[in-house]
């Protein structure tokens, strides 16, 4: 999907105090669905949303079925496809973006070649066990927090080394609790605030860290949010590769329906309503990045703490938060 960049601006005073502002003037491509029949909108979805196309397509199918009066549920096959997409995307991030952010270059060509040819979970698991974990995924999952700390200190893989580099404490946002479509349908107003989504009045972090927080209490108590954020992504990947599937659900609203679909970056929300002719009268998409780019969200909180850091460190921290669109950074120093 073509969208405007997230805009991040740092204003630094002579006394080294700084303020960070974040905005995302998102282009709402889903407006093209208005007036369209259901089948047309479903066909258009993967063309408009190329990243996480399977998740976007499943959300569109579920919300439009539910809005049309059906009881929409995701099949095991659909959830398996959703999970495969998330696993492939996470490995792509590891091999390309996070390798670039931590090591200054993408992973070696032999690794990226394996990723391109890996089209199912067994092939992705083989790649992950070699590049990411250095051991069997299931064994790695069973280590627990103390075992993961010992593993990263050994530095036996590139991601283990990266985790060892993330030893600085910094502030973090409150975490979004686990939600299903039914619970969200009863508490939807905050999520749809014009200034950006919130939950119980707070901007939240919605990433894998929100789903894996119970596994990482020590890191969170120490304020090691960057380390916890990356480790949570590795935990999620290992779970998907050993049989856990992402969730998707739908619920009816008084004036339409919603669908909530998990993705690698966080929850994806679609809302829709149909007119008396069965055509779409309202459609809205709330992607995880609207939470990341909230004016009081995780990008602002994390980067405000790093105001005096290098550009490379800023890029590393933004990459860990993992917005789904490009971003631009501008800085100014005030001497008044």
């Amino acid at each position: 999907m073509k969208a405007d960049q997230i805009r991040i601006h740092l204003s630094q005073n002579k006394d080294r105090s700084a303020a960070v502002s974040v905005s995302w003037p998102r282009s709402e491509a889903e407006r093209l669905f208005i007036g369209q029949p259901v089948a047309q909108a479903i066909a258009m979805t993967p063309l408009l949303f190329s990243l996480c196309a399977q998740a976007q397509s499943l959300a569109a199918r579920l919300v439009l079925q539910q809005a049309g009066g059906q009881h929409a549920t995701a099949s095991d096959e659909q959830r398996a496809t959703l999970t495969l997409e998330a696993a492939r995307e996470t490995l792509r991030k590891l091999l390309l973006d996070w390798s670039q952010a931590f090591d200054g270059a993408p992973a070696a060509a032999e690794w990226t070649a394996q990723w391109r040819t890996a089209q199912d979970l067994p092939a992705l698991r083989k790649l992950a066990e070699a590049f990411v974990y250095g051991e069997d995924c299931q064994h790695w999952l069973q280590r627990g927090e103390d075992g993961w700390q010992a593993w990263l200190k050994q530095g036996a893989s590139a991601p283990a080394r990266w985790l060892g580099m993330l030893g600085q404490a910094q502030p973090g946002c409150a975490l979004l609790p686990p939600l299903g479509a039914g619970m969200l349908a009863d508490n939807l107003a905050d999520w749809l605030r014009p200034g950006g989504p919130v939950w119980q009045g707070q901007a939240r972090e919605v990433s894998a860290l929100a789903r894996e927080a119970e596994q990482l209490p020590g890191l969170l108590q120490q304020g090691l949010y960057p380390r916890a954020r990356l480790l949570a992504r590795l935990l999620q990947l290992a779970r998907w590769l050993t049989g856990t599937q992402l969730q998707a659900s739908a619920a009816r609203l008084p004036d339409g329906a919603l669908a909530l679909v998990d993705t690698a970056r966080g929850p994806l929300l679609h809302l829709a309503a149909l007119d008396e002719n069965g055509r779409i009268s309202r459609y809205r998409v709330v992607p995880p990045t609207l939470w990341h780019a909230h004016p009081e969200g995780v990008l602002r909180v994390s980067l405000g703490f790093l105001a005096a850091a290098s550009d490379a460190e800023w890029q590393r921290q933004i990459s860990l938060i993992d917005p789904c669109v490009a971003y631009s950074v501008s800085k100014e120093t005030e001497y008044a």
Side-chain angles (χ1 to χ4, degrees):
M1 171 182 136
K2 183 176 178 57
D4 292 339
Q5 294 182 338
I6 294 173
R7 300 171 186 175
I8 304 169
H9 180 74
L10 167 68
S11 178
Q12 190 166 31
N13 299 319
K14 192 174 182 179
D15 63 2
R16 303 290 286 174
S17 64
V20 172
S21 63
V22 178
S23 65
W24 182 22
R26 177 176 176 264
S27 299
E28 295 182 348
E30 63 269 19
R31 288 183 178 273
L32 295 174
F33 293 164
I34 306 301
Q36 298 292 333
V38 167
Q40 179 66 20
I42 292 174
M44 289 170 61
T45 299
L47 304 178
L48 291 177
F49 304 95
S50 56
L51 189 64
C52 296
Q54 296 293 339
Q56 296 281 3
S57 295
L58 178 57
R61 188 175 297 277
L62 290 176
V63 76
L64 291 170
Q65 287 175 346
Q66 192 80 26
Q70 302 178 48
H71 178 63
T73 58
S75 67
D76 289 344
E77 182 179 1
Q78 287 171 325
R79 292 175 57 213
T81 300
L82 181 69
T83 304
L84 175 62
E85 177 180 67
R88 291 200 87 246
E89 170 61 12
T90 301
L91 273 166
R92 184 193 69 80
K93 291 291 299 185
L94 284 158
L95 294 166
L96 299 179
D97 296 357
W98 290 329
S99 287
Q100 180 71 49
F102 285 94
D103 293 337
E110 64 183 275
W111 297 115
T112 55
Q114 286 186 45
W115 175 83
R116 290 190 184 94
T117 59
Q119 299 300 319
D120 57 26
L121 286 179
L124 292 173
R125 177 170 177 167
K126 181 179 179 181
L127 171 58
E129 289 177 345
F131 178 78
V132 180
Y133 306 107
E135 61 187 47
D136 177 76
C137 287
Q138 190 64 54
H139 178 266
W140 185 86
L141 274 174
Q142 293 169 352
R143 283 176 171 269
E145 188 171 21
D146 290 343
W148 297 322
Q149 294 296 328
W151 169 82
L152 72 86
K153 288 178 181 177
Q154 293 168 2
S157 71
R161 286 191 292 101
W162 303 340
L163 285 162
M165 297 164 66
L166 297 171
Q168 186 177 25
Q170 68 179 51
C173 282
L175 302 174
L176 188 74
L179 298 171
M183 182 177 178
L184 181 55
D186 293 333
N187 300 273
L188 192 57
D190 268 4
W191 197 294
L192 301 178
R193 282 191 183 180
V198 295
W199 186 253
Q200 297 180 343
Q202 286 185 292
R204 303 275 181 152
E205 178 157 353
V206 303
S207 68
L209 180 56
R211 296 193 287 257
E212 295 290 347
E214 291 185 359
Q215 305 301 316
L216 303 170
L219 292 180
L220 295 178
Q221 288 170 9
Q222 296 173 66
L224 297 175
Y225 278 87
R227 180 177 289 178
R229 197 168 286 127
L230 178 54
L231 185 54
R233 290 294 292 267
L234 302 188
L235 283 165
Q236 291 278 271
L237 176 62
R239 295 193 199 289
W240 299 332
L241 295 174
T242 54
T244 299
Q245 291 188 335
L246 285 168
Q247 300 297 313
S249 55
R252 194 156 297 156
L253 299 171
D255 58 349
L258 68 81
L260 191 64
V261 174
D262 284 339
T263 75
R265 292 173 174 84
L268 168 67
L269 172 66
H270 280 217
L271 297 114
L274 305 180
D275 64 20
E276 63 276 9
N277 298 314
R279 291 179 177 267
I280 296 169
S281 60
R282 180 168 62 95
Y283 208 101
R284 184 169 179 184
V285 175
V286 182
T289 294
L290 272 177
W291 291 88
H292 305 328
H294 188 285
E296 299 300 325
V298 64
L299 278 169
R300 192 201 69 77
V301 170
S302 299
L303 298 179
F305 179 75
L306 297 168
S310 65
D311 288 348
E313 184 61 24
W314 268 51
Q315 292 172 2
R316 181 178 296 172
Q317 295 300 326
I318 295 170
S319 182
L320 286 174
I321 294 167
D322 194 17
C324 65
V325 297
Y327 61 88
S328 62
V329 177
S330 60
K331 299 182 180 181
E332 65 177 346
T333 303
E334 299 177 359
Y335 295 101

